[in-house]
Amino acid sequence: MNRMSQNIYDNEHFYKGYTKIRNNKLSYNEMIEMPIMKEELPDIKGKMVLDIGCGMGKFIQYMLELNPKQIVGLDISNNMISYAKELVDDERVSFVVTDILSYETDIKFDVIVSCLAFHYIEDFNLLMKKLNKLLANDGILLFSTEHPLTTATKQKENWSHVESRFNHYKLDHYFEESARPIEWLDTEVIRYHRTIGTMMNTIIDNGFIIERVLDTGNTEMSLKLWDAEDIMKVNHRPPFIVIKAKKY
Ligand SMILES: C[S@@+](CC[C@H](N)C(=O)[O-])C[C@H]1O[C@@H](n2cnc3c(N)ncnc32)[C@H](O)[C@@H]1O
């Protein structure tokens, strides 16, 4: 298996730990990322939708309330798709287990969404080419990914604990676009760092118009439900970036 199709979510230990974190109502996903993705989601009523790296199916569960025609949930992990199938049992939803870069279909999607999966994919240019092919003309791509200001550092400890605990987030090696292995849940997880410019220009060069770019910060929910330290950490640096683009 090459590096761009790393499948850590089928490692049982990692999977167990991850599902626990993802089911926490106070997680970064629930507090910071999902609120923005929900806000930016275009009208999907009667539309064909693809969710790339759908994981446990939580965003699909939300999108079903909005009356799409059909949703395809795609993920490289068997474990994740099995979980999603249990969570979402609806005739409008089908699932496929594959690496997005190998996915072939005749369907032209009106909307493609992806929550926090693209930083696992090494070749962003190939990914954008693929998404252009999968989208209908005027189709919308909406995705979140780890923010380049957050993925840049190569230090093992991302925070400087001088003076007070989380007063500085480290930024180094910004221009070095390459793998950033981290240790998460006792597992080596490989994410890929690319600059903001590379991301934007690759999207533009592959036939998209960028409509929105959002640096995710604290939300009404996180400000209400998180403790001061967690709020301060997000105030210091955007954990994720959300990009909305239209195929022309
Ligand atoms: C952090 S999880 C996010 C899951 C879900 N989107 C959510 O927000 O709850 C990332 C997901 O992307 C999937 N993934 C990673 N690389 C992939 C690839 N090349 N093709 C398809 N799915 C991939 C993983 O298996 C995992 O389920």
Side-chain angles (χ1 to χ4, degrees):
M1 190 175 275
N2 61 29
R3 289 207 316 190
M4 81 189 147
S5 51
Q6 187 199 26
N7 179 5
I8 32 164
Y9 293 79
D10 276 350
N11 158 340
E12 287 306 320
H13 174 75
F14 185 85
Y15 169 73
K16 275 208 185 98
Y18 175 79
T19 45
K20 203 166 157 207
I21 292 172
R22 186 66 186 87
N23 278 327
N24 181 346
K25 294 267 179 286
L26 297 178
S27 66
Y28 270 60
N29 309 72
E30 297 291 329
M31 292 290 113
I32 303 294
E33 190 259 356
M34 291 251 296
I36 308 272
M37 288 295 286
K38 287 179 180 174
E39 217 171 278
E40 291 301 322
L41 186 69
D43 183 8
I44 58 166
K45 190 166 178 225
K47 303 265 173 76
M48 297 292 296
V49 182
L50 173 65
D51 184 344
I52 298 170
C54 67
M56 292 147 70
K58 289 180 184 268
F59 203 59
I60 294 179
Q61 192 179 41
Y62 166 74
M63 290 192 291
L64 281 172
E65 294 167 19
L66 306 171
N67 299 316
K69 183 173 176 196
Q70 214 183 304
I71 300 178
V72 176
L74 179 153
D75 203 286
I76 198 169
S77 156
N78 270 303
N79 274 346
M80 293 305 237
I81 292 295
S82 302
Y83 192 112
K85 278 183 178 162
E86 293 263 316
L87 186 77
V88 177
D89 183 15
D90 190 296
E91 59 189 16
R92 295 166 294 171
V93 183
S94 58
F95 290 101
V96 13
V97 180
T98 182
D99 179 347
I100 177 59
L101 296 177
S102 313
Y103 181 48
E104 297 292 339
T105 178
D106 293 332
I107 305 171
K108 291 285 182 197
F109 293 96
D110 302 301
V111 176
I112 295 182
V113 297
S114 180
C115 303
L116 301 180
F118 288 177
H119 46 261
Y120 293 116
I121 296 171
E122 183 171 17
D123 193 333
F124 195 66
N125 188 45
L126 206 61
L127 176 64
M128 287 304 128
K129 256 191 208 355
K130 185 83 185 180
L131 302 193
N132 182 294
K133 259 201 198 154
L134 291 169
L135 269 174
N137 285 340
D138 294 331
I140 297 288
L141 166 65
L142 173 67
F143 71 92
S144 61
T145 189
E146 288 193 19
H147 201 293
L149 293 178
T150 317
T151 52
T153 184
K154 285 184 153 187
Q155 311 305 309
K156 267 212 155 100
E157 173 53 65
N158 292 347
W159 292 91
S160 147
H161 300 282
V162 183
E163 290 168 29
S164 70
R165 279 201 75 204
F166 295 107
N167 57 332
H168 293 109
Y169 187 86
K170 291 178 189 165
L171 177 62
D172 52 87
H173 298 89
Y174 180 75
F175 290 100
E176 198 177 319
E177 301 187 298
S178 59
R180 294 292 192 275
I182 52 155
E183 180 90 2
W184 189 25
L185 300 166
D186 312 315
T187 311
E188 185 188 65
V189 179
I190 298 171
R191 308 118 77 232
Y192 292 92
H193 168 70
R194 33 207 161 234
T195 65
I196 296 171
T198 294
M199 256 200 254
M200 303 296 156
N201 292 328
T202 309
I203 296 169
I204 293 165
D205 291 346
N206 279 290
F208 292 93
I209 293 167
I210 294 177
E211 293 195 330
R212 300 281 285 165
V213 177
L214 297 129
D215 302 301
T216 60
N218 277 297
T219 60
E220 260 177 49
M221 267 203 287
S222 65
L223 290 171
K224 205 162 110 194
L225 299 172
W226 270 1
D227 63 30
E229 193 167 87
D230 282 330
I231 291 172
M232 183 173 77
K233 285 168 79 175
V234 171
N235 278 340
H236 279 317
R237 57 89 176 88
F240 316 119
I241 190 165
V242 171
I243 300 177
K244 189 172 177 178
K246 186 185 211 167
K247 173 176 165 173
Y248 62 86

